[in-house]
Amino acid sequence: MTRAQQTISIALLVSSLYLSLYLELIPLPALIQTAIVPVLPFWALVSFGAWVLFRLGWGMLTFHDTPEAYKELMEEIKLAQADLRAKGVSVD
Amino acid sequence: MAPTKTTGKDVYSVILPTFNERQNLPIITWLLNRTFTEQNIDWELVIVDDGSPDGTQDVAAQLVKLYAPHVQLQTRTGKLGLGTAYVHGLQFAKGNYIIIMDADFSHHPKFIPQMIAKQKASNYDIVTGTRYAGDGGVYGWDLKRKLTSKGANIFADTVLRPGVSDLTGSFRLYKRDVLEKLFQSTDIRGFTMQMALAVTAKSQGFSIAEVPISFVDRVYGDSKLGGEEIVEYAKGVLQLWWST
């Protein structure tokens, strides 16, 4: 099963579930039927957008910079160049 | 049972596609040699050069001599692309494990023993370096670059849900037969190849583990991330979503 098939199947499932609520095929308390069910899709969309933005922001906050790795690498490059030149490899 | 010197020892082949890497190649080879020798690992390096005009092949020949018998050079006559370079190199690799990485020090060989250990721990099919999990990280990115990269990762992660934290990472250890199988069934063109390999691997049921790495980007000023690349990336992700 491809990712597309999986996503579309789940989407169809959720849609038909929602449709059964929207078309009042399942009895619900009046308040939920009139005030919550109609706005559920929009709420889901906004929540999803907020979740993605949160992940992005969190990723920026916790992004790990590695200056030590850079310094270590620069040292190693110098070591390598010296060693290689001594062994006759052309190093710029 | 008395311990015997096993002839079925593990050999790790690093396949390194190069184009104009005359300055970096000797140093990355030196680092590889140091890491593998220190850890007493049987290794080889397959350099696949696409006809570099800057003398990369001359330096490669010197390295073949210096580090014999570990280094071999395979040349191609033109810039034929990264994916096909790996396939080409794989033909000549003798190892039962294949390591792919970049030649510009963004991937440091010191993480290879960690990947090997991780692979051995639970016999994973693939181990990939990750910049986004554990204490993985990056040096040399400004905020814009970080945003683009993390944004792209979140996009791919949401659409594909691959279970791998760094989808576009190209520092990986593969079991040889797994990589051969993946090359047969994956479209290996374009820079979305790494992503395609990981997603295809997941869908074929191969196990992937991750090792945090530090990615030192010294060429970030020369940004290869234009609008065109972003569109191609999005297309690549959607293509994978549809077909894998």
Side-chain angles (χ1 to χ4, degrees):
Chain A
M1 176 176 264
T2 66
R3 272 285 174 265
Q5 289 171 328
Q6 201 184 63
T7 311
I8 293 172
S9 313
I10 295 178
L12 281 172
L13 196 66
V14 171
S15 302
S16 37
L17 219 74
Y18 176 71
L19 213 57
S20 69
L21 290 178
Y22 190 78
L23 296 175
E24 303 182 30
L25 296 172
I26 300 176
L28 287 173
L31 184 63
I32 298 182
Q33 188 66 56
T34 53
I36 296 184
V37 171
V39 297
L40 222 45
F42 305 107
W43 172 87
L45 203 64
V46 172
S47 301
F48 175 71
W51 168 241
V52 170
L53 277 171
F54 171 75
R55 283 184 68 182
L56 195 60
W58 183 253
M60 289 306 104
L61 273 176
T62 57
F63 208 101
H64 189 216
D65 288 303
T66 58
E68 338 77 44
Y70 178 72
K71 279 200 228 96
E72 190 189 331
L73 179 64
M74 292 298 115
E75 294 296 321
E76 287 171 331
I77 292 178
K78 289 206 203 80
L79 258 177
Q81 286 172 329
D83 189 33
L84 286 164
R85 282 197 193 100
K87 296 187 172 143
V89 177
S90 17
V91 176
D92 291 347
Chain B
M1 193 165 103
T4 50
K5 187 99 181 148
T6 50
T7 45
K9 243 173 45 138
D10 295 321
V11 178
Y12 293 85
S13 296
V14 179
I15 302 180
L16 207 63
T18 59
F19 189 75
N20 285 346
E21 297 283 5
R22 187 178 48 125
Q23 291 168 318
N24 295 335
L25 186 58
I27 307 196
I28 195 78
T29 311
W30 186 88
L31 286 170
L32 282 167
N33 175 66
R34 190 180 70 163
T35 305
F36 285 122
T37 311
E38 276 175 7
Q39 303 282 327
N40 206 18
I41 295 170
D42 201 348
W43 68 289
E44 73 163 342
L45 169 63
V46 182
I47 303 170
V48 181
D49 186 71
D50 279 1
S52 299
D54 71 341
T56 300
Q57 294 185 12
D58 300 325
V59 174
Q62 293 173 340
L63 294 167
V64 169
K65 254 184 36 193
L66 178 58
Y67 292 113
H70 295 285
V71 183
Q72 53 168 305
L73 169 65
Q74 300 298 337
T75 59
R76 302 197 300 175
T77 47
K79 207 161 182 227
L80 301 172
L82 203 56
T84 50
Y86 286 129
V87 175
H88 188 77
L90 194 55
Q91 291 175 297
F92 303 99
K94 302 191 213 81
N96 54 334
Y97 288 98
I98 309 291
I99 296 167
I100 62 168
M101 56 189 291
D102 292 343
D104 63 354
F105 317 131
S106 51
H107 299 146
H108 198 298
K110 70 180 175 188
F111 294 106
I112 294 180
Q114 293 177 28
M115 290 177 163
I116 294 177
K118 188 84 193 217
Q119 189 278 325
K120 288 286 178 206
S122 303
N123 197 27
Y124 289 105
D125 297 310
I126 304 172
V127 179
T128 175
T130 174
R131 295 162 288 180
Y132 303 128
D135 56 356
V138 178
Y139 173 80
W141 280 2
D142 58 359
L143 184 63
K144 182 159 160 247
R145 183 72 180 85
K146 289 181 192 175
L147 268 173
T148 319
S149 184
K150 193 70 171 117
N153 208 53
I154 290 176
F155 173 65
D157 198 52
T158 307
V159 172
L160 295 169
R161 292 176 305 283
V164 174
S165 67
D166 191 344
L167 254 189
T168 51
S170 48
F171 192 6
R172 296 192 183 151
L173 165 68
Y174 293 87
K175 282 187 190 169
R176 193 211 180 96
D177 49 355
V178 172
L179 188 59
E180 284 171 342
K181 247 183 123 201
L182 285 174
F183 276 150
Q184 282 164 17
S185 51
T186 312
D187 180 4
I188 51 169
R189 284 161 298 150
F191 64 81
T192 50
M193 176 190 79
Q194 303 300 342
M195 211 166 45
L197 282 173
V199 175
T200 311
K202 264 293 178 175
S203 78
Q204 292 189 357
F206 293 121
S207 55
I208 306 181
E210 297 190 300
V211 164
I213 59 163
S214 53
F215 182 95
V216 177
D217 197 344
R218 301 187 309 157
V219 299
Y220 90 107
D222 167 26
S223 178
K224 293 170 286 185
L225 276 156
E228 213 182 280
E229 268 84 24
I230 294 180
V231 170
E232 203 188 310
Y233 174 79
K235 273 172 41 187
V237 172
L238 291 171
Q239 217 163 14
L240 280 172
W241 180 74
W242 186 254
S243 60
T244 313

